């Protein structure tokens, strides 16, 4: 009986032991907001997306709408941030995208996206590579001052490259948050689509 209960306990702990980092909240006015208040939860625990042609590459699995999630009011030009539940523990690249939408609650991420921030690896003069996003629990970035006012999805992505020696082995940890941007200008950034922006063989997704 004792052995059985130990075994059951080990099984219960397994998801924790294998838990991956998740972008689960925004940082607004310097304060970390409650998890999943403005960020859409996924329904895949925290298993990474590995297929760049899947629609789950937009906002993660089960996050094609944000019913029950709030939309954060921010101003163009604001410095905001995103926080994780646990520190990033894979080497990789952080990217932040935005997409202008009619309604941030109902938008499915099929609209075009533009990148506003990145934390790529750094190639040092001695040919070694360092990974500034490794170990981080929060990232800060500026809402571009020139984008039009309106509702937006914010797509936060960390591309983990520790296994990315074969196609479909890079792991995408991502979340979408919902924003209502005030102020701003009339900029029209170049847009990419998800899926579409990435190919499994792209440099930086497949690595040598
Ligand atoms: C997650 O949501 C998607 C729809 O976005 C659905 O197809 C899938 O079955 C859901 N998965 C689970 C584990 O509930
Ligand atoms: C967005 O859609 C939701 C759900 O239909 C609705 O409650 C909300 O009022 C809409 N917001 C805007 C800004 O249109």
């Amino acid at each position: 009986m004792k052995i059985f209960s130990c075994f059951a306990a080990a099984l219960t702990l397994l998801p924790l032991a294998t838990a991956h980092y998740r972008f689960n909240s925004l940082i607004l006015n310097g304060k970390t907001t409650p998890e999943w208040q403005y960020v859409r939860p996924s329904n895949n625990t925290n298993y990474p997306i590995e297929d760049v042609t899947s629609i789950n590459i937009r906002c993660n699995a089960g996050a094609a709408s944000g019913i029950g999630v709030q939309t954060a009011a921010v101003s163009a030009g604001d410095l905001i941030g995103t926080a994780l539940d646990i520190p990033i523990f894979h080497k990789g690249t952080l990217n932040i995208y935005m997409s202008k939408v009619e309604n941030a609650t109902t938008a499915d991420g099929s609209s075009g996206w533009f990148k506003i921030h990145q934390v790529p690896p750094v190639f040092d003069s001695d040919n070694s590579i360092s990974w500034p996003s490794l170990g981080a629990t929060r990232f800060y970035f500026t809402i571009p001052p020139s984008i039009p006012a309106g509702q937006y999805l914010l797509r936060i992505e960390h591309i983990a490259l520790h296994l990315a020696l074969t196609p479909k082995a890079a792991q995408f940890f991502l979340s979408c948050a919902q924003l209502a941007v005030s102020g701003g200008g009339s900029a029209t950034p170049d847009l990419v689509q998800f899926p579409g922006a990435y190919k499994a063989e792209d440099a930086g997704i497949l690595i040598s």
Side-chain angles (χ1 to χ4, degrees):
M1 192 59 196
K2 189 154 185 257
I3 291 172
F4 177 76
S5 62
C6 281
F7 182 63
L11 277 183
T12 312
L13 284 174
L14 192 61
L16 280 178
T18 57
H20 276 105
Y21 44 93
R22 291 177 292 178
F23 297 95
N24 60 357
S25 68
L26 292 181
I27 303 166
L28 302 175
N29 301 312
K31 293 207 173 61
T32 302
T33 56
E35 65 173 3
W36 314 123
Q37 180 177 7
Y38 302 113
V39 180
R40 294 179 179 181
S42 69
N43 72 354
N44 64 354
T45 331
N46 44 17
Y47 199 78
I49 306 300
E50 293 165 313
D51 181 357
V52 297
T53 67
S54 158
I55 60 165
N56 292 338
I57 199 74
R58 291 174 181 163
C59 286
N60 212 332
S65 100
I67 304 295
V69 175
Q70 294 174 38
T71 298
V74 300
S75 298
D78 276 359
L79 179 73
I80 70 167
T82 179
L84 294 113
D85 52 353
I86 56 172
I88 288 182
F89 59 80
H90 290 312
K91 295 172 176 176
T93 297
L94 175 100
N95 295 308
I96 312 260
Y97 291 82
M98 291 179 74
S99 181
K100 191 164 189 320
V101 296
E102 286 295 314
N103 183 322
T105 304
T106 55
D108 66 1
S110 58
S111 43
W113 297 84
F114 54 96
K115 194 195 279 190
I116 63 164
H117 187 65
Q118 60 185 2
V119 182
V122 175
F123 298 86
D124 299 313
S125 51
D126 63 358
N127 278 336
S128 64
I129 304 178
S130 57
W131 304 88
S133 61
L134 189 61
T137 54
R138 46 196 60 209
F139 296 91
Y140 294 90
F141 47 89
T142 300
I143 305 292
S146 57
I147 60 171
Q151 303 235 321
Y152 286 83
L153 289 180
L154 179 82
R155 180 177 174 279
I156 309 150
E157 157 189 85
H158 192 255
I159 309 176
L161 296 171
H162 55 299
L163 299 174
L165 305 171
T166 57
K168 295 198 182 183
Q171 299 183 344
F172 293 76
F173 296 96
L174 71 152
S175 295
C176 285
Q178 300 175 189
L179 300 180
V181 176
S182 58
S186 57
T188 54
D190 289 342
L191 303 176
V192 297
Q193 301 289 325
F194 287 105
Y198 300 154
K199 294 192 179 62
E201 297 79 20
D202 282 347
I205 291 177
L206 179 65
I207 60 174
S208 63

